Amino acid sequence: MFDIIVNHGLQSFMFEIIQSDEFKAWHDDLRDKIARARVSARIRLAEQGNLGDWKPLREGISEMRIDVGPGYRLYFIPLTCGGAELKVRPGPDVSPSIFGRG
């Protein structure tokens, strides 16, 4: 799990990625080197404003899908700066309790 902070610049649209300790441990423990590289690349792309294949789930939780090996999902909570509220549709896949929300 990680958070994405939206930074609305005048010319660019970039994200700040904050990785949880659990996410870092999971990423470091990935045995599949190709999958680890694809996850790292996906995070770098997200930092540049390209979330790629993603969808909102529920209660503020979204996922990025990575189609490599068995398929991986990166769950995240989009946070916005400046007091704006980001609305996402509920989805059935993830329990908010994973993120300490429930």
Side-chain angles (χ1 to χ4, degrees), residues 2-46:
F2 55 93
D3 293 333
I4 294 180
I5 296 178
V6 179
N7 180 8
H8 299 284
L10 294 176
Q11 302 233 344
S12 64
F13 192 70
M14 305 212 28
F15 298 118
E16 177 182 353
I17 307 296
I18 302 170
Q19 300 177 18
S20 68
D21 292 335
E22 292 83 4
F23 176 82
K24 290 176 189 176
W26 171 81
H27 183 260
D28 292 344
D29 290 342
L30 270 176
R31 292 182 183 177
D32 183 344
K33 292 179 183 181
I34 294 172
R36 188 178 324 132
R38 291 279 299 271
V39 169
S40 296
R42 190 62 180 276
I43 292 170
R44 282 192 304 275
L45 286 171

Side-chain angles (χ1 to χ4, degrees), residues 43-62:
I43 292 170
R44 282 192 304 275
L45 286 171
E47 288 174 328
Q48 297 169 10
N50 180 4
L51 294 179
D53 182 14
W54 75 280
K55 71 176 182 178
L57 297 177
R58 63 181 176 151
E59 297 184 34
I61 300 169
S62 297

Side-chain angles (χ1 to χ4, degrees), residues 75-91:
Y75 297 101
F76 64 97
I77 301 170
L79 305 173
T80 58
C81 297
E85 184 175 337
L86 182 64
K87 304 271 187 198
V88 294
R89 295 184 316 241

